[in-house]
Amino acid sequence: MGCRISSVVPVSKWTEEKVPSPTLKVAPQYIIEAPRPKTTPAAIHISTSKPKPPENTVHQPVKEEPPPPPEANPYDRQRTGSVATIIMENRPPNKVYYSTTFGSHVYKHRSSGRPFTIDTTRARSNRAVVAMCAERIGIEEVSETHDDKRPCDIYWHSVVYPDMNRVVSHPYSRVNKFPGMTELARKISLTHSIHSMQRLFPQEYEFYPKSWFLPAHLKEFEAFGSKQANQQRWYIVKPDEGAQGTGIYLVNHPSQLKDPLQRQLVQEYVADPLLMNDGLKFDFRVYGVIRSINPLSIYVAREGMARFCTEKYSRPNASNFENLYAHLTNYSLNKANDRYVHSTSLHDQIKGSKRLLSTVFHQLESRGLRTKKLWHDIKMILVKTVLAMLPEILLHYEHHFIDKPGPQCFQIIGFDVMIRENGEPILLEVNAAPSLTIDHQLISSADEPLYEETPLKVRSIVDEVIKVPLIRDTLLLVLNLMDQEYSSARESAIHSTTSSQLPDHTQDDLDTWRAKKKPHLSEIFPNRYGAHSFHLLFLDKAVYLFMQFVHLRASINISLGGLKQFVKKCNLTPVISSREIDLKAAEINFYLTGDQSKLGQGLPFHGFLKFLFYVSEKKFPKEPTLLAKMQKLNQFCDASLRHYGVRSARLRRAEVPTTDDDGPVELYMLPLRMRGKRRSRSSASTLPPKPRSDRNNNSNNNNNGLPRIEL
Ligand code: ADP
């Protein structure tokens, strides 16, 4: 087995690749132009010459330019549709402006003048690319063992290390991981979070396929599967901790499960994916960045990846359901297929197995799909998914940094989204640690056992174009340098284009530069989509109740004793007896964990929520919806607790101004963590005091313009 590539560009020297000094007096740019038709396949043309106006941006269908000539394509035989459609679909984005740096800026702490620092010692496979991005914006790399004991501005870790609290000890540092996020993004946890929201807001969370968690939901799945037996429905079975497609298979009846007692997720198989003209199934990897949780701030990357299957798709049936190259889009799986097409240039990628999201949007648009709406729907999926996960992210943070002010956590998250034939996006999974590497690994073949010992890695231009700006902008974002970077870049462009040294520059040139200076990351919450989704921030009351009765220092699960206390203090004993609490808690525990034994570890937040749902249905049976019942229960519990003198000091709502016409957005925050109110017991006073202006960089402790909450 081998992979199909047109030419190989060794990746070994990519970090040293230099571009000749630009002739323009502007920040140096890398402009990667899709080669004109008939150019040799020599990968990427890097140019610093005067850019042409972007008459055809990535999302706009090109009218003037001749299409590239048809090339040898492994899927030619499989294509359907008219020649015209094929030509449209294969048209490359005319130019992709890809800047690895905006150059001349080396950012420094405003007050001290010292450079920003990053520690990538624990970044593992992402170290090279993160270090390169940091270096190019002037962030100094320091190692964990550096002599200067000053805390770093940013720590980039591959996982949440057990000693993260020790390493990232200063509240003004930032770290690229949220405690607990890996667990929360696992298939089953994610399903629990989304299930809770589906029960409260059924129409808003239709984007996630119907799912069962085994072994707990085996009976439900068997009942459902048997009823649907005649309908030729298929299900996809995924091990909970699986990744990269490992252990996944399809069934069309519950009796075909290989090991029904294994911890796994069964999902309705979405059998009507939107296909390209080449008949291949694909999905999108969209990158989001949670910049902070207190207050919540979410960004999306403009560019993402489309990952294609390597064999033609048809609806699953008895003869094809085992062909994973047709049903699973995972890169790690498909790269082993002979038909995997590695692209060495932006021109190539239009037919590659990995394409730019913008290219595929362009291709879809040419087939009449409303990509603006699609992009809007995808961004809403990102926001809603993070909102579903938020209660537990907050709880994990509180638990992890119980004695400390805690650093500012941020995280790049990968969202895998598939598109149905009717253009509707479906969330498949959330990846808390998406790969940020920018190379492609060649697979040995029987004829060429060359790379058996040391796998040969080559540059992957698609990964590079997506991930380098993603990492760079994430660094700028968490250091609060985005505005500075992009407004200064704009000014510099204006200056250059009006400079007497560049007499032949036109308004088009100016527009070109402006287009390129667009940040790669754009805010989707609270600005932009906050007003559309703030009603989904409903679980704060439940989080608050949970926090009153859970011993957060020891656990993020509520014990049976805690549950009984809650019932007592909230005057709910007439609604549910102690015996019933025992039984209900055991039932929920089984539902969540598949564990028949006693409630050893207590109930996690979504278990508590299920308990609240149950109580609210008993207490307020006349209310028309679960949401209405829960609203009533929240009010009832609030009033009862106030009677006991318990006040909601842990979570407060605050209005956050947005730039949207829809006005401010209300969201909930942890007031104890605002403005350093929460003093560490093992106080951070041994650390050097931070200069005032630098304090503004930490959104856990200072809201960067967002409202502060006074206790
Ligand atoms: P993994 O974490 O192992 O990659 P995923 O949940 O991402 O598991 O599934 C792997 C691939 O299987 C996806 O990229 C997608 O192509 C396909 N897939 C997953 N779930 C579904 C589904 N419900 N319907 C159709 N295809 C799916």
Side-chain angles (χ1 to χ4, degrees):
M1 302 270 261
C3 84
R4 188 186 299 270
I5 52 170
S6 50
S7 65
V8 171
V9 184
V11 79
S12 56
K13 289 204 168 165
W14 66 267
T15 51
E16 288 150 34
E17 196 173 315
K18 292 277 190 288
V19 174
S21 313
T23 48
L24 299 178
K25 280 218 163 161
V26 291
Q29 299 284 323
Y30 288 13
I31 303 162
I32 300 181
E33 294 178 4
R36 299 268 173 263
K38 295 202 175 100
T39 47
T40 45
I44 305 140
H45 172 59
I46 298 176
S47 144
T48 54
S49 61
K50 188 181 113 183
K52 296 274 186 299
E55 67 271 6
N56 307 308
T57 54
V58 174
H59 291 276
Q60 287 162 1
V62 186
K63 296 266 159 47
E64 298 84 1
E65 287 222 342
E71 291 178 8
N73 182 316
Y75 309 112
D76 266 343
R77 278 175 295 115
Q78 301 162 357
R79 280 186 183 146
T80 55
S82 70
V83 174
T85 322
I86 292 165
I87 289 171
M88 278 302 281
E89 185 168 308
N90 284 338
R91 185 165 287 147
N94 194 31
K95 284 193 183 75
V96 174
Y97 291 108
Y98 157 49
S99 57
T100 53
T101 175
F102 284 158
S104 52
H105 254 101
V106 172
Y107 293 103
K108 301 209 162 144
H109 284 264
R110 227 182 280 161
S111 52
S112 63
R114 72 179 171 81
F116 288 102
T117 51
I118 186 167
D119 181 345
T120 56
T121 319
R122 297 176 179 219
R124 291 228 192 126
S125 59
N126 294 331
R127 184 176 186 173
V129 66
V130 174
M132 183 269 284
C133 292
E135 189 207 322
R136 292 192 180 182
I137 48 174
I139 303 178
E140 203 172 85
E141 210 193 339
V142 290
S143 85
E144 215 170 286
T145 51
H146 69 294
D147 292 338
D148 180 2
K149 291 291 170 228
R150 225 190 313 236
C152 275
D153 293 293
I154 301 178
Y155 293 82
W156 202 284
H157 290 178
S158 59
V159 292
V160 174
Y161 287 93
D163 61 348
M164 182 164 103
N165 278 5
R166 183 188 60 77
V167 177
V168 190
S169 57
H170 198 274
Y172 299 105
S173 294
R174 298 106 177 128
V175 59
N176 71 318
K177 293 276 179 246
F178 282 97
M181 186 68 96
T182 309
E183 294 76 22
L184 297 179
R186 287 215 179 105
K187 297 175 176 63
I188 289 173
S189 294
L190 176 74
T191 306
H192 289 326
S193 307
I194 292 191
H195 266 176
S196 294
M197 294 303 269
Q198 276 173 335
R199 288 198 61 190
L200 291 166
F201 304 97
Q203 271 139 32
E204 308 256 13
Y205 282 83
E206 276 177 344
F207 57 80
Y208 193 67
K210 192 166 177 51
S211 308
W212 298 264
F213 152 51
L214 303 191
H217 308 176
L218 183 60
K219 285 212 171 74
E220 284 172 41
F221 174 54
E222 282 174 342
F224 184 90
S226 305
K227 248 194 262 160
Q228 309 287 330
N230 298 331
Q231 303 217 359
Q232 276 307 303
R233 274 188 197 252
W234 285 80
Y235 308 92
I236 182 163
V237 187
K238 314 177 188 182
D240 183 33
E241 294 191 15
Q244 308 186 329
T246 45
I248 293 185
Y249 61 98
L250 305 188
V251 297
N252 76 339
H253 193 273
S255 60
Q256 293 160 354
L257 288 170
K258 288 182 186 162
D259 180 2
L261 297 181
Q262 195 200 335
R263 203 177 144 83
Q264 59 203 311
L265 192 76
V266 179
Q267 227 170 41
E268 234 177 349
Y269 186 73
V270 180
D272 59 346
L274 184 65
L275 305 178
M276 282 296 170
N277 280 353
D278 48 20
L280 299 177
K281 174 176 169 178
F282 66 94
D283 70 2
F284 290 122
R285 161 65 55 89
V286 181
Y287 297 91
V289 179
I290 303 181
R291 176 204 195 180
S292 72
I293 46 159
N294 197 34
L296 181 63
S297 168
I298 315 170
Y299 282 69
V300 67
R302 271 197 288 147
E303 191 58 278
M305 192 182 291
R307 298 155 324 167
F308 280 73
C309 281
T310 41
E311 304 213 354
K312 201 176 168 182
Y313 179 83
S314 42
R315 278 176 179 263
N317 58 39
S319 64
N320 73 17
F321 78 100
E322 282 176 320
N323 183 3
L324 298 185
Y325 291 136
H327 291 291
L328 307 194
T329 50
N330 299 78
Y331 160 72
S332 37
L333 177 103
N334 283 286
K335 74 179 178 194
N337 191 2
D338 274 349
R339 292 180 160 216
Y340 185 86
V341 184
H342 170 64
S343 316
T344 54
S345 73
L346 287 176
H347 182 258
D348 277 357
Q349 59 94 27
I350 61 168
K351 286 175 279 175
S353 296
K354 259 187 200 177
R355 300 179 201 172
L356 295 178
L357 177 140
S358 57
T359 299
V360 174
F361 267 45
H362 175 59
Q363 293 171 336
L364 293 175
E365 206 163 78
S366 69
R367 294 171 54 187
L369 195 91
R370 288 174 58 210
T371 49
K372 258 195 174 160
K373 172 162 188 330
L374 176 62
W375 188 229
H376 167 273
D377 293 348
I378 289 177
K379 287 188 283 188
M380 282 308 293
I381 287 183
L382 262 62
V383 170
K384 289 175 183 176
T385 306
V386 176
L387 293 184
M389 296 169 79
L390 183 64
E392 287 194 297
I393 301 175
L394 282 169
L395 289 165
H396 274 273
Y397 188 94
E398 280 288 277
H399 169 63
H400 199 91
F401 298 109
I402 189 88
D403 271 335
K404 294 171 174 261
Q408 177 187 342
C409 297
F410 65 95
Q411 194 149 347
I412 297 177
I413 311 274
F415 294 83
D416 294 350
V417 177
M418 207 179 102
I419 317 299
R420 291 195 114 115
E421 227 164 30
N422 63 5
E424 191 189 304
I426 298 288
L427 177 74
L428 296 181
E429 82 153 348
V430 171
N431 196 324
S435 160
L436 297 177
T437 54
I438 54 174
D439 47 33
H440 165 70
Q441 189 184 325
L442 293 182
I443 306 290
S444 307
S445 68
D447 329 327
E448 303 168 276
L450 279 174
Y451 335 119
E452 235 158 48
E453 311 245 304
T454 30
L456 182 61
K457 290 187 174 174
V458 293
R459 180 178 179 179
S460 165
I461 184 62
V462 174
D463 286 272
E464 209 172 309
V465 166
I466 297 164
K467 294 172 186 173
V468 169
L470 168 67
I471 298 167
R472 182 201 57 208
D473 272 18
T474 302
L475 295 172
L476 290 168
L477 182 70
V478 298
L479 291 172
N480 286 345
L481 297 171
M482 285 276 272
D483 282 352
Q484 216 175 318
E485 169 76 27
Y486 288 98
S487 58
S488 69
R490 266 192 298 274
E491 275 160 27
S492 134
I494 291 163
H495 174 75
S496 302
T497 46
T498 52
S499 154
S500 57
Q501 286 174 294
L502 304 162
D504 56 340
H505 272 236
T506 63
Q507 183 61 37
D508 282 344
D509 295 327
L510 183 55
D511 292 343
T512 306
W513 283 109
R514 281 188 179 137
K516 280 183 302 187
K517 306 302 175 192
K518 254 177 102 178
H520 189 72
L521 294 176
S522 57
E523 189 176 341
I524 47 175
F525 192 94
N527 273 307
R528 198 85 184 95
Y529 297 108
H532 302 271
S533 53
F534 75 95
H535 61 289
L536 303 174
L537 278 162
F538 172 76
L539 294 180
D540 56 340
K541 291 276 189 307
V543 175
Y544 157 65
L545 281 175
F546 188 74
M547 278 183 166
Q548 303 302 323
F549 297 98
V550 73
H551 187 34
L552 259 186
R553 180 179 304 280
S555 162
I556 49 162
N557 286 3
I558 189 166
S559 65
L560 199 52
L563 215 52
K564 289 184 175 172
Q565 273 293 311
F566 157 72
V567 169
K568 188 172 156 208
K569 291 265 161 79
C570 289
N571 294 331
L572 292 166
T573 35
V575 183
I576 184 164
S577 69
S578 177
R579 171 85 187 122
E580 206 179 344
I581 297 174
D582 290 342
L583 292 174
K584 196 69 202 166
E587 182 193 313
I588 295 173
N589 183 47
F590 176 69
Y591 179 88
L592 295 179
T593 63
D595 187 356
Q596 290 276 22
S597 60
K598 275 184 267 143
L599 187 67
Q601 308 210 318
L603 291 182
F605 174 73
H606 285 281
F608 177 69
L609 202 57
K610 272 185 90 58
F611 185 78
L612 292 188
F613 290 167
Y614 176 73
V615 172
S616 75
E617 271 162 352
K618 288 192 82 175
K619 173 98 184 133
F620 301 103
K622 294 212 175 103
E623 292 300 321
T625 61
L626 181 63
L627 185 64
K629 292 176 210 277
M630 281 294 290
Q631 268 158 347
K632 285 265 178 186
L633 184 68
N634 283 336
Q635 285 162 7
F636 183 81
C637 291
D638 234 19
S640 308
L641 287 180
R642 220 169 290 144
H643 172 76
Y644 280 95
V646 180
R647 291 198 145 254
S648 166
R650 295 180 107 159
L651 285 170
R652 290 272 174 86
R653 284 186 173 239
E655 272 199 349
V656 177
T658 69
T659 52
D660 301 342
D661 295 341
D662 300 315
V665 169
E666 227 188 37
L667 46 86
Y668 53 94
M669 301 199 243
L670 293 160
L672 287 170
R673 294 203 176 275
M674 311 313 293
R675 280 175 115 197
K677 286 264 176 191
R678 189 180 181 117
R679 298 300 302 165
S680 158
R681 266 175 226 174
S682 58
S683 178
S685 58
T686 47
L687 291 161
K690 274 262 176 175
R692 280 222 159 265
S693 61
D694 297 345
R695 289 181 189 176
N696 290 336
N697 287 329
N698 193 318
S699 64
N700 275 333
N701 298 282
N702 183 314
N703 289 319
N704 304 322
L706 296 175
R708 294 170 187 159
I709 303 171
E710 300 298 340
L711 291 175

